[in-house]
Amino acid sequence: MQNWKTKLTRRFLAAVVAVVTVATFATYEFTNSARAAVAAPAAAALDDSSVAALLTLDHAMETLAARVTPAVVNVTVTSKPNPQKASDESPDMEQFFGPFGGTPFGGRQFGQPGNPRSRVEHGLGSGVVISPDGYIVTNNHVVDGATDIRVTMTNREVLSAKLIGTDPLTDLAVIKVNGTNLPSIPWGDSAKLHPGQTVLAFGNPYGFRFTVTRGIVSALNRPNPDATDRRKPGQFIQTDAAINPGNSGGALVNARGELIGINTFLISSNGSFSGMGFAIPTQIAEPTVTSLIRDGKVSHGFMGIGISDVTPDNAKFFQMSKASGALVSQVEPNSPGAKGGLKTGDVITKLDSKTVTDAGELQMQVGQKRPGDTIQLEVVRDGKTVSVPVTLEAMGAAAGTETGSTEHGKGRWGLSLGDLSPAAREQIQIPSEVRGAVVQDVQPGSPADNAGLQRGDVIVEVNRHAQQSAADVAQALSNVAKGQDVLVLVWSNGGNTFRVLHPTEG
């Protein structure tokens, strides 16, 4: 029995020794393999010749950024809060302009959050040095109401800045610091831009100073987004170079390092960049800045007319062979345009012998003229070309909105119409010269709905004929032959626009 136990123990120990030997050998082999793997050389980098184009592009961007960055500054503002301004701002305009005029992380800061006793607010934005002696361009909304302005240079030097002048209409401002031989950026010509061109945006987004982003010109001549004031010029440069809160007032430059735009707003559902940033083109910025430096203010030329684009949809109603020019949709009484002889339905095709392609271009050109200047307009009126001289005056105030009562049926155009009562005029402050029918309801999917008509719009003309009442408009619309389009002149949001209604029936 003892002998059997001894043999069994010996066999068990032999098995254990064998297992340990195998494990040790396996560990040795694994360790050697791991060492061999570590010792193996990594994959080689691509040689310069195979990526020469990318390296050249990188070097060009580095050179460009190094040239421009020193001329872009951080602008910090202390100002008194303006309760009236805050109450007047709509959510849409907060989306466009609000994020830039506040704290580094968006919104405005009135002392401590929620403290009604706070008496100051702090803002952060950007600026561009345009002259070696310290003139700096920024946005009006960055310095609006400022009691103290500080500028931080790229070398971290902080300088006190003086406000030279502002122009709320274009949202531009000029400030100045004392200095000599400061780095600056030359003006470029935004009229030479084309979609697809490379641009760089410089600024201080969210408080991260001296940031540069790269993109392209996404589009040109974007219209004014502020529906509350149609006088503001559009023609914005749209770019996908990231523009975020804090970039406002910064530089948009071309590949040569020339200033071709001043970053001003973005369109976003959450207040942060979503691929659509906008800049004021130098065609507007440079003459505005020149006036601010020279005079401390800007006096914009004013014709007193409402304008819109000639489109392929409405061109035939004005006997235009192509969709080009600025369509006069409204002429204010006793305005420079009225005194010069402009009429609703005129199409302005040239200003001082320069071709006018659309309403935005005309607005920009007129806005850069000064009160007292006489401009020569070439106008197409009822298919004939006439010359109209207009002497510009200083820009005045804008008009209001409208409503009405007394219903007429929707009919085939999908509209319910009403007359403008004296009570409605007094309440909404509709000018006495506005006549026609107020839109009380629009049927979804109808020709009126497709044309963009809304409740509260006022139809003042049908097919180039003035209307005095809801009955007149209803009769004029019913007289349009079946299957034919109809042109209506609509008073909406303080101005007139032409709309084309396409029938849904044959």
Side-chain angles (χ1 to χ4, degrees):
M1 183 68 178
Q2 183 66 34
N3 186 37
W4 177 81
K5 290 181 178 180
T6 301
K7 290 180 178 180
L8 181 61
T9 300
R10 287 175 178 174
R11 289 177 180 177
F12 176 75
L13 291 174
V16 171
V17 170
V19 170
V20 172
T21 301
V22 171
T24 302
F25 178 76
T27 301
Y28 173 78
E29 288 297 320
F30 177 78
T31 302
N32 282 347
S33 298
R35 288 174 179 171
V38 170
L46 295 172
D47 62 273
D48 288 358
S49 61
S50 62
V51 290
L54 291 177
L55 293 176
T56 300
L57 177 61
D58 282 349
H59 178 70
M61 292 297 104
E62 292 166 11
T63 301
L64 177 56
R67 169 66 180 80
V68 174
T69 297
V72 177
V73 301
N74 175 267
V75 179
T76 305
V77 173
T78 301
S79 59
K80 293 181 180 180
N82 186 340
Q84 180 63 39
K85 178 183 175 183
S87 65
D88 288 344
E89 287 177 345
S90 68
D92 287 341
M93 292 315 298
E94 183 70 16
Q95 172 184 330
F96 288 128
F97 297 107
F100 294 102
T103 68
F105 302 99
R108 286 189 173 83
Q109 178 180 343
F110 297 85
Q112 295 298 320
N115 182 0
R117 296 182 181 179
S118 300
R119 296 185 177 180
V120 297
E121 65 180 62
H122 302 282
L124 174 67
S126 305
V128 186
V129 182
I130 57 167
S131 67
D133 58 347
Y135 282 100
I136 297 170
V137 181
T138 186
N139 282 140
N140 173 69
H141 70 260
V142 170
V143 298
D144 188 24
T147 57
D148 183 72
I149 305 173
R150 302 281 171 172
V151 167
T152 303
M153 311 295 290
T154 52
N155 62 3
R156 309 302 179 186
E157 182 181 9
V158 179
L159 303 173
S160 177
K162 174 185 177 182
L163 182 62
I164 299 300
T166 64
D167 182 32
L169 192 73
T170 59
D171 194 29
L172 290 166
V174 175
I175 59 178
K176 189 180 187 304
V177 297
N178 291 327
T180 56
N181 299 320
L182 296 178
S184 60
I185 305 177
W187 290 103
D189 186 357
S190 60
K192 296 180 179 179
L193 289 177
H194 299 282
Q197 283 186 246
T198 295
V199 289
L200 272 67
F202 292 79
N204 306 277
Y206 293 110
F208 292 97
R209 294 175 176 174
F210 312 115
T211 297
V212 56
T213 56
R214 188 176 77 183
I216 62 170
V217 174
S218 301
L220 297 168
N221 306 326
R222 289 306 193 196
N224 163 32
D226 186 0
T228 65
D229 192 346
R230 293 172 177 264
R231 301 169 305 165
K232 292 182 177 181
Q235 303 298 93
F236 290 106
I237 302 167
Q238 180 185 334
T239 178
D240 66 348
I243 295 175
N244 277 298
N247 273 110
S248 193
L252 189 71
V253 305
N254 60 18
R256 295 182 177 85
E258 297 171 325
L259 182 65
I260 48 88
I262 301 296
N263 304 327
T264 189
F265 73 92
L266 59 90
I267 293 180
S268 169
S269 59
N270 59 13
S272 296
F273 181 70
S274 60
M276 297 178 68
F278 296 82
I280 304 166
T282 55
Q283 285 176 283
I284 293 175
E286 187 175 6
T288 300
V289 168
T290 298
S291 294
L292 290 174
I293 293 174
R294 182 186 62 223
D295 305 324
K297 62 180 182 179
V298 179
S299 297
H300 294 280
F302 173 69
M303 280 201 292
I305 62 174
I307 52 176
S308 58
D309 292 340
V310 178
T311 68
D313 208 25
N314 64 29
K316 62 183 178 182
F317 291 97
F318 303 98
Q319 302 182 41
M320 297 294 296
S321 59
K322 61 179 181 178
S324 179
L327 174 59
V328 178
S329 56
Q330 178 181 350
V331 181
E332 296 181 12
N334 300 316
S335 66
K339 295 173 184 176
L342 285 174
K343 298 180 179 180
T344 300
D346 285 348
V347 177
I348 300 172
T349 57
K350 288 185 179 181
L351 188 156
D352 291 341
S353 300
K354 294 181 180 179
T355 299
V356 173
T357 58
D358 55 35
E361 185 174 2
L362 176 66
Q363 186 180 28
M364 180 184 66
Q365 291 186 29
V366 173
Q368 300 310 317
K369 299 287 186 178
R370 306 186 72 178
D373 291 348
T374 297
I375 57 176
Q376 296 293 330
L377 301 176
E378 185 174 293
V379 172
V380 175
R381 178 180 297 163
D382 298 327
K384 298 179 180 179
T385 300
V386 297
S387 180
V388 178
V390 175
T391 300
L392 303 178
E393 298 177 7
M395 185 170 289
T401 55
E402 52 285 314
T403 186
S405 60
T406 310
E407 183 171 342
H408 288 252
K410 290 188 177 65
R412 58 176 162 140
W413 302 106
L415 282 168
S416 289
L417 303 171
D419 288 323
L420 289 171
S421 66
R425 288 184 180 278
E426 182 178 356
Q427 180 181 0
I428 311 298
Q429 297 182 354
I430 302 174
S432 59
E433 65 271 11
V434 176
R435 294 285 187 273
V438 65
V439 176
Q440 293 191 323
D441 192 24
V442 177
Q443 181 177 336
S446 66
D449 185 34
N450 294 336
L453 269 70
Q454 298 180 7
R455 180 184 176 90
D457 291 348
V458 178
I459 298 177
V460 298
E461 284 187 8
V462 176
N463 279 344
R464 307 292 306 281
H465 294 288
Q467 308 296 316
Q468 300 297 317
S469 66
D472 290 345
V473 173
Q475 183 63 48
L477 290 174
S478 67
N479 288 341
V480 177
K482 289 186 177 182
Q484 295 295 312
D485 296 340
V486 60
L487 179 75
V488 294
L489 181 62
V490 178
W491 171 276
S492 178
N493 292 324
N496 289 350
T497 57
F498 283 101
R499 312 283 180 87
V500 178
L501 277 62
H502 300 288
T504 54
E505 54 188 312

